[in-house]
């Protein structure tokens, strides 16, 4: 095993400290470090054969670190105002982690890898379609309140505790992210619900839309995922039609 893997949880916690910092520069640095660990397949399921020596232990360590990183990234995307161009790096890192663990959002595959499906950093549970994090009912409230109705936060951290329906991030109780909720969150930040078309915002929205596309392309083409595909279509199609209709 690599040195990064041996120190994985400690490295991840340091990255999360950066994500929770009041400075967007340090947040972006934390997100890029997480992306690097994902690219090296450290914050990812262990390659086949490498998890056989210690049973699910190796995979569990990776899942624990990934859950912490993914939940922190997702929280930051949902919590903060969209005006910062560096936020696209946060979105990119979250999608990279989600894509790496996508197959194990299925309970049966997560159980086979981890021994306990509840340890997976990503969830596909059908009863949680309105969740961003499991059991938080995040999307029961208006999407307008989730994204565009927030106060701006500055590079010095002013306004970071913007008024939303998502609570304070708790490292000790980091929850699994629902894949459908992540898709819904990215879509809501790709298209404005108010007339926010400023030049500095459009590149961010374009980047998030590309990440959303990347996430959709990673969805497994199997019957277990059919309900999620239908759910995504049900909330994505009206948004696309509305945008194109406004500019026709």
């Amino acid at each position: 095993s690599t040195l990064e893997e041996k120190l994985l949880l400690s490295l991840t916690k340091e990255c999360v400290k950066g994500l929770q910092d009041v400075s967007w520069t340090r947040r972006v640095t934390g997100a890029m470090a997480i992306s690097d660990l994902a690219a090296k397949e450290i914050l990812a399921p262990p390659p086949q054969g490498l998890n056989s020596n210690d049973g699910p232990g190796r995979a569990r360590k990776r899942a624990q670190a990934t859950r912490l990183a993914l939940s922190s990234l997702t929280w930051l995307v949902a919590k903060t105002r969209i005006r910062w161009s560096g936020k696209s790096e946060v979105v990119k890192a979250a999608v990279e982690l989600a894509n790496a663990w996508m197959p194990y959002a299925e309970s049966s595959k997560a159980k086979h890898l981890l021994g306990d499906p509840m340890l997976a950093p990503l969830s596909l549970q059908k009863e949680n379609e309105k969740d961003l994090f499991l059991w938080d009912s995040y999307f029961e409230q208006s999407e307008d309140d989730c994204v565009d109705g927030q106060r701006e936060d500055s590079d010095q951290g002013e306004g970071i505790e913007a008024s939303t329906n998502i609570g304070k991030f708790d490292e000790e109780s980091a929850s699994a992210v629902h894949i459908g909720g992540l898709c819904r969150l990215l879509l809501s930040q790709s298209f404005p619900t108010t007339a926010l078309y400023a030049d500095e915002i459009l590149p961010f929205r374009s980047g998030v839309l590309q990440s959303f596309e990347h996430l959709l392309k990673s969805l497994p083409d199997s019957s277990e995922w059919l309900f999620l595909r239908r759910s995504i279509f049900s909330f994505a199609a009206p948004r696309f039609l509305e945008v194109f209709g406004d500019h026709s």
Side-chain angles (χ1 to χ4, degrees):
S1 61
T2 64
L3 178 61
E4 288 95 337
E5 187 174 17
K6 291 180 180 178
L7 301 174
L8 183 55
L9 187 57
S10 296
L11 288 172
T12 303
K13 287 183 176 181
E14 289 302 312
C15 292
V16 169
K17 286 182 181 179
L19 294 174
Q20 300 301 311
D21 200 284
V22 296
S23 165
W24 264 104
T25 300
R26 286 189 282 272
R27 294 179 196 175
V28 171
T29 300
M32 293 178 68
I34 289 173
S35 291
D36 186 57
L37 289 172
K40 290 180 178 180
E41 298 185 348
I42 303 298
L43 276 177
Q48 291 184 355
L50 292 185
N51 199 48
S52 57
N53 294 332
D54 62 351
R58 191 171 194 173
R60 285 183 176 183
K61 291 177 182 178
R62 290 179 175 226
Q64 179 186 10
T66 302
R67 176 185 287 224
L68 176 59
L70 181 58
S71 61
S72 182
L73 290 163
T74 304
W75 179 90
L76 188 56
V77 173
K79 186 70 175 177
T80 55
R81 188 68 171 174
I82 62 175
R83 68 185 293 260
W84 292 99
S85 58
K87 190 176 177 182
S88 60
E89 293 294 337
V90 178
V91 173
K92 180 181 177 182
V95 170
E96 287 176 351
L97 292 183
N99 285 343
W101 286 88
M102 187 79 71
Y104 302 100
E106 292 183 38
S107 295
S108 59
K109 292 183 179 180
K111 183 177 181 179
H112 178 75
L113 178 70
L114 303 170
D116 182 355
M118 297 306 294
L119 298 177
L122 204 62
S123 175
L124 182 66
Q125 294 187 53
K126 188 173 183 179
E127 63 268 28
N128 298 98
E129 283 187 279
K130 294 292 186 178
D131 295 350
L132 178 57
F133 299 99
L134 286 189
W135 313 111
D136 70 348
S137 301
Y138 183 83
F139 293 103
E140 292 290 346
Q141 300 189 33
S142 170
E143 284 190 0
D144 293 359
D145 295 334
C146 299
V147 182
D148 287 320
Q150 303 172 29
R151 298 196 314 266
E152 292 187 7
D153 60 339
S154 71
D155 199 30
Q156 288 72 40
E158 295 176 4
I160 185 173
E161 297 302 326
S163 177
T164 70
N165 63 320
I166 190 170
K168 184 178 180 180
F169 182 75
D170 184 0
E171 180 180 313
E172 298 301 322
S173 59
S175 181
V177 173
H178 193 277
I179 181 60
L182 182 58
C183 288
R184 191 186 295 260
L185 178 66
L186 296 185
L187 180 69
S188 69
Q189 300 221 357
S190 298
F191 294 105
T193 55
T194 59
L196 294 177
Y197 292 99
D199 291 342
E200 68 271 17
I201 293 176
L202 288 177
F204 167 74
R205 293 199 185 281
S206 175
V208 176
L209 188 59
Q210 290 178 357
S211 292
F212 178 51
E213 178 187 15
H214 189 199
L215 193 62
L216 292 182
K217 288 182 176 179
S218 298
L219 296 179
D221 188 15
S222 63
S223 58
E224 289 82 0
W225 292 76
L226 182 59
F227 82 90
L228 180 63
R229 290 177 176 274
R230 289 174 173 170
S231 176
I232 293 173
F233 179 83
S234 70
F235 64 71
R239 184 62 64 88
F240 280 99
L241 291 173
E242 178 184 352
V243 171
F244 289 123
D246 290 343
H247 293 80
S248 60

